[in-house]
């Protein structure tokens, strides 16, 4: 009998790619999503399959899944500044109540449990690059705290279930990831730049453009998560691509990739926005034998080809709210 896995946030960007991977590995996949930021389009290709089932459910409420479960991946959460500033309470609830509900389900089913944590637990870091031992520099009452603190709590309660109940748990700290199925209007820099380039708009940089990010292609990330789930390592582990780039250089890369000739415009940096973001992946390399394989050039090309197929109407519909750029 094949292994059965529950993936929450299944209709989201990362969740849908994880569904694909576990289907490919021969698992019975149960997808769950309340579609508050997810989109059924991301998983509609899986609906005809015998080994895929889907439940439209908010995991902040009690979660019941009939039958055996071998694994649970908790990926349900708004994950971009636009989303979590718009729905702050739901963001806190899915990280706290949702995680508690799913840990209870994992305990009942004796399932191995993996949570999607984030590089945001490091806040605006004072240590660079960020190793797992760094405790972070987070403003607990700032606008981003609804996401940052929800994820920090997630890690704490997951570890408590491991130490107190002996539950098998895994914690992945995900750094900036990109690829097909991202939402163009989710407020993250990569889809924002590509959307602006495709619409012929100027590219918007917040701050002076000297801040850095390090982008990991989604297939690399999924491979890292798969290896972590199958490992016996219980402490948090960074999965991301350490190849760091400034926002100024990144904007020029996007202009070159899209063959457009946009200007770059600058807006004030939002409060508590991290100036640097780069994973230390020493642990992932030594414990999981994992490192990213797909270069930014290659990954961006695949991502751009995906968005290039959007109709004019879709591009207009995924335009960022002008209010966002006034911040």
């Amino acid at each position: 009998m094949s292994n059965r896995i529950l993936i929450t946030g299944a209709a989201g960007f990362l969740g849908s790619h994880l569904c694909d991977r576990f289907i490919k590995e021969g698992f019975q996949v149960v997808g769950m999503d309340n579609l508050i930021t997810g989109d059924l389009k991301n998983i509609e290709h899986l609906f005809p399959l015998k080994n895929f089932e889907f439940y439209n459910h908010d995991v902040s409420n009690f979660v019941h899944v009939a039958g055996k479960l071998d694994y649970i991946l908790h990926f349900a959460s708004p994950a971009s500044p636009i989303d979590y500033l718009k729905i702050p309470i739901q963001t806190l609830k899915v990280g706290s109540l949702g995680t508690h509900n799913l840990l209870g389900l994992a305990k009942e089913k004796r399932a191995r449990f993996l949570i999607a944590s984030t590089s945001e637990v490091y806040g605006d870091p004072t240590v660079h690059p960020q190793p797992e031992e760094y405790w972070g520099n987070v403003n607990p009452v700032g606008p981003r705290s609804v996401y940052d603190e929800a994820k920090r709590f997630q890690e704490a309660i997951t570890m408590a279930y491991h130490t107190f109940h002996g539950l098998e748990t895994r914690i992945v700290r995900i750094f900036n990831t990109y690829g097909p199925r991202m939402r163009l209007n989710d407020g993250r820099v990569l889809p924002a730049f590509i959307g602006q380039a495709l619409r012929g708009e100027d590219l918007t940089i917040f701050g002076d453009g000297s801040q850095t990010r390090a982008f990991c292609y989604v297939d690399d990330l999924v491979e890292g998560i798969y290896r972590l789930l199958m490992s016996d390592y219980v402490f948090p582990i960074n999965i991301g691509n350490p190849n760091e780039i400034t926002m100024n250089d990144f904007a020029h890369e996007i202009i070159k990739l899209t063959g457009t000739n946009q200007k770059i415009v600058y807006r004030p940096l939002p409060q508590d926005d991290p100036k640097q973001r780069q994973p230390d992946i020493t642990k992932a390399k030594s414990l999981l034998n994992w490192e990213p394989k797909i270069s930014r050039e290659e990954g961006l090309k695949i991502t751009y080809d995906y968005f290039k197929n959007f109709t004019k109407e879709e591009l207009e519909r995924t335009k960022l709210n002008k209010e966002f750029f006034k911040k």
Side-chain angles (χ1 to χ4, degrees), residues 6 19 30 61 88 107 131 150 153 160 171-172 206 229 250 252 291:
L6 168 65
C19 288
V30 181
N61 302 317
K107 181 171 167 267
F153 173 82
I171 300 172
V172 59
F206 295 97
L229 182 67
F250 187 56
H252 288 294
E291 61 183 315

Side-chain angles (χ1 to χ4, degrees), residues 136 167 231 270 294:
L167 191 69
S231 78
I294 295 161

Side-chain angles (χ1 to χ4, degrees), residues 31-94:
M32 193 173 278
D33 204 303
N34 66 349
L35 306 177
I36 196 166
T37 59
D39 191 333
L40 283 179
K41 270 202 325 224
N42 292 333
I43 50 171
E44 62 188 2
H45 60 288
L46 300 175
F47 286 136
L49 304 179
K50 276 201 182 72
N51 57 338
F52 182 75
E53 52 193 305
F54 177 76
Y55 296 94
N56 183 339
H57 181 72
D58 181 349
V59 298
S60 299
N61 302 317
F62 178 76
V63 181
H64 170 70
V65 176
K68 72 153 191 162
L69 276 179
D70 301 289
Y71 301 96
I72 295 173
L73 300 188
H74 183 23
F75 275 70
S77 176
S80 76
I82 279 198
D83 295 332
Y84 52 72
L85 296 176
K86 215 163 41 184
I87 43 174
I89 311 295
Q90 288 99 321
T91 303
L92 282 158
K93 281 169 76 173
V94 75

Side-chain angles (χ1 to χ4, degrees), residues 81-152:
I82 279 198
D83 295 332
Y84 52 72
L85 296 176
K86 215 163 41 184
I87 43 174
I89 311 295
Q90 288 99 321
T91 303
L92 282 158
K93 281 169 76 173
V94 75
S96 54
L97 303 176
T99 306
H100 189 212
N101 289 336
L102 290 158
L103 282 161
L105 180 65
K107 181 171 167 267
E108 181 207 333
K109 302 284 187 185
R110 295 194 171 90
R112 184 176 297 180
F113 180 84
L114 180 146
I115 55 154
S117 187
T118 168
S119 57
E120 297 297 333
V121 300
Y122 301 122
D124 185 8
T126 54
V127 169
H128 197 71
Q130 294 82 56
E132 289 86 352
E133 291 75 18
Y134 175 52
W135 290 352
N137 176 37
V138 173
N139 177 353
V141 291
R144 298 172 76 100
S145 65
V146 296
Y147 184 66
D148 301 2
E149 295 294 13
K151 291 295 189 181
R152 286 161 74 95

Side-chain angles (χ1 to χ4, degrees), residues 252-320:
H252 288 294
E253 272 190 14
I254 294 292
I255 290 168
K256 190 178 163 201
L257 169 75
T258 56
T260 48
N261 194 19
Q262 265 71 337
K263 287 208 309 287
I264 296 170
V265 294
Y266 294 87
R267 297 276 181 272
L269 196 65
Q271 187 186 334
D272 303 329
D273 198 57
K275 316 285 183 300
Q276 287 184 302
R277 189 62 94 221
Q278 184 191 26
D280 180 329
I281 59 167
T282 310
K283 276 194 170 57
K285 281 180 173 172
S286 63
L287 297 167
L288 308 177
N289 193 23
W290 175 89
E291 61 183 315
K293 301 270 190 285
I294 295 161
S295 69
R296 196 170 57 244
E297 189 182 7
E298 190 186 341
L300 280 176
K301 192 181 174 322
I302 302 166
T303 308
Y304 176 56
D305 287 345
Y306 169 79
F307 286 125
K308 232 169 31 182
N309 293 319
F310 277 35
T311 63
K312 225 182 168 109
E313 290 72 37
E314 283 175 314
L315 284 172
E316 282 307 310
R317 204 169 56 240
T318 55
K319 210 169 185 167
L320 274 182

Side-chain angles (χ1 to χ4, degrees), residues 206-218:
F206 295 97
D208 62 5
S210 64
Q211 71 271 37
T212 67
R213 295 293 181 269
F215 300 102
C216 183
Y217 186 66
V218 64

